[in-house]
Amino acid sequence: IIGGRTAHPGFFPWQLLMVVEDMSRVPKDKWFGSGALLSRTWVLTAAHVLRSQRRDNTITLVPSEYVTIYLGLHDVRQKEAAVKRTVERIILHKAFDPRTYNNDIALVKMKDKVSMNIFVMPLCLPSQEMEGPQPNTLGLVAGWGITNPNLTMDDATGSDHATLSNILQYVKLPVTLQAECKSSYESRSDSYNVTDNMFCAGFYEGGKDTCLGDSGGAFIMYNPDTQTWVAQGLVSWGGPEKCGSKRVYGVYTKISKYARWLADKMSNSS
Amino acid sequence: NITELTGMFGQIQSPNYPEGYPSDLDVTWNITVPTGFRIKLYFMHFDVEPSYLCEYDYVKVSSDDDLLETFCGRESTDTEQIPGREFVLTNSNTMTVTFKTDFSNEERFTGFEAHYSAIDVDECVEKLDEALVCDHFCHNYIGGYYCSCRYSYILHSDNRTCKVECSDNVFTEKSGVISSPDYPNPYPKSSDCLYRIELEEGYAISLQFADIFDLEDHPDILCPYDYLKIKTGVMEFGPFCGDKSPGKIDTNSSTVQILFHSDDSSDNQGWKFTFTSIGAPCPVVHPPANGTIEPVQEKYSFKDQVQIRCNTGFKFVKGGDEVEAYQIECQKSGIWSSSIPTCKVIDCGTPRSLEDGFITFHTKDNLTMFGSHIEYSCLALYYQMEPELNTTYTCMENGFWVNDELGTDLPTCQPVCGRPARSLPPLNKR
């Protein structure tokens, strides 16, 4: 999280850390992302978090046994105090495109249920009728990702932990006008494709953003009618520029587009 | 000088007829025709010496040692008869004609010429007065007769009386009427009837005889001709005869044999009775506590069934299973098939637990009996009930905890989403 603030324990009880250790590769790959708790067993995250880290366009799912989930976590150094769960099943959206990150959404079913408490609580999903977030409305994103935009993920997962935030950070971001976001990216390269399944958030001038390690975390918005926080987006991708750069908006998976898909998968798999 | 004649007809003449007959004659003609016939004899000519009481010459006609006629003379007088135009008819199928003359005749007498013929006997008419030749119908034919019977009767081996086939009549109904054939018209002769009433063991049969009771009897000997006997396995009633009804007979048996014998005579009205049966009585049953019985009767007897039900909220417990209703039956021994079970209050048992929820008992001592109420709740803050409704459950008579809206289904406690216990700092206006 770039330009964010330190969360207090219990601010984001749905926030979870997803650690992936790909033992099939030598040396083994290890990375992490975030996710959001949806129910006693289901977790929502971005598809690219659970994809084997190959630099090609194939979609190889990491085996479920390589994934560990930590819930109720505040300080990543105190994982033993968190609720730890292994994974029973991973459902990647079948239309996920690793080149464009279109349909970057996945569901993870944990092997064992979790009990709710002040630090562990699910996040609401938008209803199937609900539209995506409106431009200029504010949302929050939390994560344990890079806080220093000058470093890469490799640096972050290396021995120098100083650039990673051990404590959960969060940032408040406005939803970007879809046309502005598209033109922003398309002006830099034709290969960028901001689809209707995505929305952008961030400030024109930069300074506040999500970054490496925040992937899969929920972009949440407050619904005053139900007085609940609702997941509207998933941290998905951004440009190669430094996180928080001017006119480099963060791109998020638009969850409202997948409300029916989520409902079907969770009901059929329960 | 005897002449045997066996033809169906024939002629006899005095010796030397029509010349004068000799003296000292003693001539006999024995005429025999088949049975079923009689013999008719008539004279065409008769001229025999007359004498007082036919002491000199005469013609005697007899049958079966009975003297039928004695003729002599030329004409009938007060003391002597000539046949004239009359004929002699026997009652049987034999006739003997004897012609006797003495040693002298004062004049010449020409004798006689006679003819005989066999005459069919109409037994149906002639035997009407004798012991009723045929019981029902009589049919005459030349040389004999035969009898026949009304519908449903059969001719006895005596070929005269009509009897009925009534040797195996079985009654298995609990009540009914049995009577002698054709009652109250005369019962058949020469019959031996057997009626059996056979009921299931456990019933006792009673017979109630009708007032009209009429069987041939004897003033001195007990029922020598016709009689009625009632037999059970161990007892015998009767014989009954005469005109006094036996009234009511309680046999105390589930099987009864009625034997009726009639001889070949008499003309009596017979008998009739109504039989009823009652089962072995069982003790009066009383409903169990918190239960009812049906039907409620003053008396119960064999085969009666009583259904026992527990009041709402109570059930029988039999062999570990809860039973809705219970039925007992009065057995032939007079003992109910089973004792009356007790009604036990229904226990819905420990209610099912609710994941991430808890149960509140609304009755003292956390009772789970019929009528008890419980309420499901979810752990506050983190879970909410779904569906949101009154979650009170009542222990019903079917043994289940039932909610007005969900029935036996349980609500669920769903995690509350998007509502952290620790609120984020309020958004600041810029």
Side-chain angles (χ1 to χ4, degrees):
Chain A
I1 300 291
I2 308 297
R5 299 169 68 176
T6 301
H8 288 171
F11 273 12
F12 299 90
W14 45 81
Q15 190 78 25
L16 55 90
L17 181 72
M18 196 172 287
V19 177
V20 183
E21 288 184 274
D22 189 348
M23 313 294 280
S24 63
R25 302 188 64 173
V26 180
K28 69 176 183 181
D29 260 354
K30 181 178 180 181
W31 67 93
F32 67 86
S34 279
L37 185 68
L38 296 180
S39 69
R40 289 184 177 90
T41 54
W42 287 102
V43 163
L44 179 65
T45 188
H48 76 266
V49 175
L50 297 166
R51 180 191 161 228
S52 185
Q53 304 290 291
R54 292 183 181 179
R55 298 188 190 283
D56 56 22
N57 293 329
T58 60
I59 303 172
T60 305
L61 200 62
V62 292
S64 57
E65 59 266 30
Y66 294 174
V67 181
T68 307
I69 291 170
Y70 296 92
L71 300 112
L73 184 67
H74 180 64
D75 185 337
V76 291
R77 292 166 298 185
Q78 295 175 357
K79 290 192 183 71
E80 68 281 357
V83 177
K84 184 181 176 182
R85 287 289 183 270
T86 52
V87 171
E88 178 186 308
R89 189 179 173 202
I90 297 170
I91 303 173
L92 235 61
H93 196 286
K94 65 179 181 183
F96 169 61
D97 184 344
R99 288 179 296 113
T100 63
Y101 278 29
N102 195 19
N103 304 304
D104 189 13
I105 189 167
L107 276 170
V108 176
K109 189 176 187 186
M110 296 181 287
K111 274 185 182 168
D112 300 308
K113 292 179 179 179
V114 289
S115 293
M116 307 305 158
N117 56 47
I118 192 169
F119 304 116
V120 179
M121 186 179 273
L123 181 60
C124 301
L125 284 170
S127 65
Q128 294 183 20
E129 301 78 31
M130 202 176 277
E131 291 185 9
Q134 297 301 306
N136 303 316
T137 51
L138 291 169
L140 295 178
V141 195
W144 289 276
I146 289 171
T147 54
N148 184 345
N150 297 317
L151 294 176
T152 64
M153 187 65 172
D154 290 337
D155 297 326
T157 54
S159 57
D160 182 5
H161 283 256
T163 55
L164 274 176
S165 174
N166 290 321
I167 307 297
L168 185 66
Q169 301 291 304
Y170 72 99
V171 67
K172 193 181 299 178
L173 299 170
V175 176
T176 309
L177 196 67
Q178 190 78 350
E180 160 63 7
C181 184
K182 282 173 78 85
S183 67
S184 161
Y185 276 102
E186 286 166 7
S187 65
R188 278 175 274 162
S189 170
D190 291 342
S191 60
Y192 295 126
N193 188 10
V194 180
T195 68
D196 283 346
N197 298 323
M198 308 166 188
F199 70 88
C200 304
F203 294 91
Y204 176 84
E205 65 276 17
K208 290 186 176 184
D209 199 0
T210 50
C211 201
L212 291 164
D214 293 327
S215 283
F219 181 97
I220 62 171
M221 298 184 81
Y222 191 69
N223 183 338
D225 295 335
T226 58
Q227 298 183 351
T228 55
W229 288 94
V230 179
Q232 292 290 359
L234 293 172
V235 179
S236 183
W237 60 277
E241 298 86 352
K242 292 174 187 172
C243 303
S245 298
K246 183 180 178 182
R247 217 190 167 204
V248 178
Y249 305 105
V251 185
Y252 299 83
T253 306
K254 194 188 289 181
I255 293 176
S256 62
K257 287 275 186 182
Y258 303 93
R260 176 175 290 279
W261 180 81
L262 291 168
D264 288 348
K265 293 298 177 189
M266 287 194 285
S267 62
N268 290 340
S269 300
S270 61
Chain B
N1 188 2
I2 298 171
T3 303
E4 298 289 340
L5 297 172
T6 57
M8 296 295 283
F9 59 90
Q11 179 184 19
I12 57 175
Q13 293 173 332
S14 55
N16 292 336
Y17 180 82
E19 301 300 326
Y21 53 79
S23 300
D24 296 320
L25 284 176
D26 185 1
V27 183
T28 298
W29 293 269
N30 286 331
I31 306 168
T32 305
V33 295
T35 53
F37 291 87
R38 57 181 53 170
I39 300 167
K40 179 181 177 183
L41 181 71
Y42 53 96
F43 289 83
M44 304 300 293
H45 175 83
F46 193 87
D47 181 26
V48 175
E49 178 188 20
S51 59
Y52 178 71
L53 297 179
C54 299
E55 288 178 340
Y56 300 154
D57 297 348
Y58 58 85
V59 174
K60 279 185 179 176
V61 182
S62 60
S63 176
D64 297 335
D65 297 330
D66 292 331
L67 179 63
L68 301 178
E69 297 288 350
T70 301
F71 300 115
C72 65
R74 281 183 171 148
E75 56 186 26
S76 294
T77 65
D78 292 342
T79 53
E80 297 86 36
Q81 297 291 321
I82 62 168
R85 306 186 74 84
E86 300 296 320
F87 53 83
V88 182
L89 196 61
T90 61
N91 285 325
S92 71
N93 62 333
T94 60
M95 176 184 272
T96 301
V97 178
T98 304
F99 179 44
K100 273 200 173 182
T101 60
D102 62 3
F103 59 92
S104 67
N105 285 326
E106 293 175 359
E107 294 175 37
R108 177 176 173 268
F109 299 98
T110 53
F112 66 88
E113 179 190 46
H115 295 266
Y116 74 89
S117 62
I119 302 293
D120 177 51
V121 177
D122 189 346
E123 292 90 347
C124 296
V125 174
E126 294 195 4
K127 291 193 176 182
L128 201 60
D129 295 332
E130 320 169 2
L132 290 174
V133 61
C134 285
D135 200 0
H136 288 178
F137 303 117
C138 183
H139 309 277
N140 183 63
Y141 60 86
I142 294 173
Y145 72 100
Y146 68 93
C147 300
S148 67
C149 300
R150 290 197 297 269
Y151 174 73
S152 79
Y153 285 74
I154 52 176
L155 193 63
H156 190 268
S157 57
D158 64 8
N159 289 325
R160 188 179 69 79
T161 55
C162 293
K163 65 174 186 175
V164 288
E165 180 54 58
C166 52
S167 58
D168 197 14
N169 300 287
V170 181
F171 296 79
T172 55
E173 296 83 10
K174 287 191 222 172
S175 62
V177 176
I178 303 176
S179 65
S180 54
D182 281 352
Y183 179 90
N185 296 315
Y187 51 78
K189 300 172 180 64
S190 305
S191 293
D192 282 292
C193 295
L194 171 64
Y195 304 88
R196 288 185 289 149
I197 306 172
E198 294 187 346
L199 302 182
E200 208 173 324
E201 205 176 333
Y203 286 105
I205 300 168
S206 295
L207 315 179
Q208 177 66 58
F209 279 86
D211 291 339
I212 298 175
F213 185 88
D214 181 22
L215 267 68
E216 185 183 14
D217 63 350
H218 188 280
D220 302 321
I221 302 170
L222 179 64
C223 305
Y225 310 124
D226 303 342
Y227 57 82
L228 186 68
K229 283 181 182 175
I230 314 292
K231 285 183 179 178
T232 69
V234 291
M235 294 185 71
E236 184 171 326
F237 303 88
F240 300 107
C241 59
D243 57 2
K244 188 170 183 298
S245 169
K248 188 179 184 190
I249 297 174
D250 293 320
T251 67
N252 292 321
S253 172
S254 61
T255 58
V256 175
Q257 288 187 342
I258 299 101
L259 296 98
F260 171 53
H261 171 79
S262 64
D263 67 2
D264 60 354
S265 66
S266 82
D267 195 11
N268 299 76
Q269 287 180 284
W271 50 270
K272 174 184 169 182
F273 65 75
T274 301
F275 68 89
T276 55
S277 57
I278 55 168
C282 276
V284 173
V285 284
H286 299 287
N290 301 307
T292 57
I293 60 168
E294 191 179 320
V296 177
Q297 296 174 188
E298 284 187 11
K299 292 179 180 177
Y300 296 91
S301 58
F302 177 50
K303 287 277 185 186
D304 280 349
Q305 292 179 336
V306 171
Q307 196 167 62
I308 307 160
R309 287 184 176 278
C310 289
N311 295 341
T312 304
F314 292 84
K315 271 190 178 173
F316 300 113
V317 176
K318 187 172 174 59
D321 296 328
E322 291 186 343
V323 184
E324 191 78 28
Y326 198 79
Q327 188 165 292
I328 58 174
E329 184 175 295
C330 181
Q331 297 176 304
K332 62 186 178 186
S333 57
I335 297 171
W336 290 100
S337 58
S338 172
S339 59
I340 297 177
T342 53
C343 290
K344 191 180 166 191
V345 65
I346 287 168
D347 186 350
C348 288
T350 305
R352 284 180 289 166
S353 60
L354 183 65
E355 186 178 19
D356 298 314
F358 58 92
I359 299 165
T360 307
F361 286 85
H362 288 187
T363 44
K364 282 182 183 175
D365 303 325
N366 292 355
L367 288 179
T368 56
M369 306 302 182
F370 170 72
S372 301
H373 300 289
I374 57 166
E375 187 172 352
Y376 283 98
S377 305
C378 291
L379 297 172
L381 293 178
Y382 311 114
Y383 297 92
Q384 61 187 11
M385 192 74 74
E386 196 173 298
E388 288 183 71
L389 41 77
N390 171 24
T391 54
T392 299
Y393 284 70
T394 306
C395 178
M396 303 299 281
E397 59 267 26
N398 59 4
F400 291 101
W401 292 101
V402 177
N403 175 265
D404 289 343
E405 294 169 71
L406 292 177
T408 56
D409 291 341
L410 290 187
T412 56
C413 287
Q414 293 297 332
V416 174
C417 72
R419 200 174 289 168
R422 290 185 175 174
S423 299
L424 286 160
L427 300 176
N428 296 325
K429 269 185 189 173
R430 286 185 176 174

